[in-house]
Amino acid sequence: MGDLNCGPSASELEPLLKDLKLTNPFKNLDSSEQWSHLYVVKDKKTNKIQSAKVEQLDYILLSPGLAKNNQDVKPILERRGLVIMTKSHRS
C-alpha cells in the first residue's frame, strides 16, 4: 500500500502487477472512480479552471491469496483536502 507516483499502466508497476501477480482492487471500482489524485490548474487572475486531470497514484496491492478471497472488494477513497494549483504554481 502506498503512493507510487505513477499511473496504473506505467512500466514501473509491471514488476509488481505482472511478475509478482499483485492485484489492484481499484479495478473493481467504476472507471470514473479509479483515481486517487486530482490536479486542477486555475487561472490566477480569473480563478477559473483551465484544466483538470485525475489519475491513480496511490495503491493497495493484494497478494494472490488476498485477491482470491476478496475478489469483489471495492476500496473506499478519502479525497477531502485535495490541493488545487494555480498557473503560477506550475513548473
Side-chain angles (χ1 to χ4, degrees):
M1 176 161 77
D3 181 354
L4 301 180
N5 286 326
C6 57
S9 60
S11 62
E12 295 87 352
L13 288 180
E14 194 169 316
L16 295 172
L17 298 176
K18 293 191 178 164
D19 298 345
L20 294 178
K21 297 181 174 73
L22 298 179
T23 301
N24 178 5
F26 272 57
K27 292 182 178 182
N28 293 339
L29 297 171
D30 291 336
S31 60
S32 64
E33 293 295 317
Q34 294 178 8
W35 62 276
S36 63
H37 179 76
L38 167 68
Y39 183 75
V40 175
V41 176
K42 286 182 140 184
D43 184 278
K44 190 174 180 180
K45 292 180 183 177
T46 66
N47 205 34
K48 291 184 180 180
I49 294 175
Q50 299 296 308
S51 65
K53 178 183 176 181
V54 294
E55 64 183 323
Q56 182 182 0
L57 298 181
D58 304 295
Y59 295 83
I60 300 169
L61 299 176
L62 304 179
S63 68
L66 279 173
K68 182 179 178 182
N69 293 319
N70 296 281
Q71 293 178 15
D72 298 322
V73 69
K74 292 184 178 185
I76 298 171
L77 304 168
E78 180 62 55
R79 295 187 177 123
R80 288 183 291 180
L82 295 174
V83 176
I84 296 178
M85 304 293 287
T86 64
K87 280 187 175 181
S88 64
H89 289 102
R90 291 196 298 184
S91 50

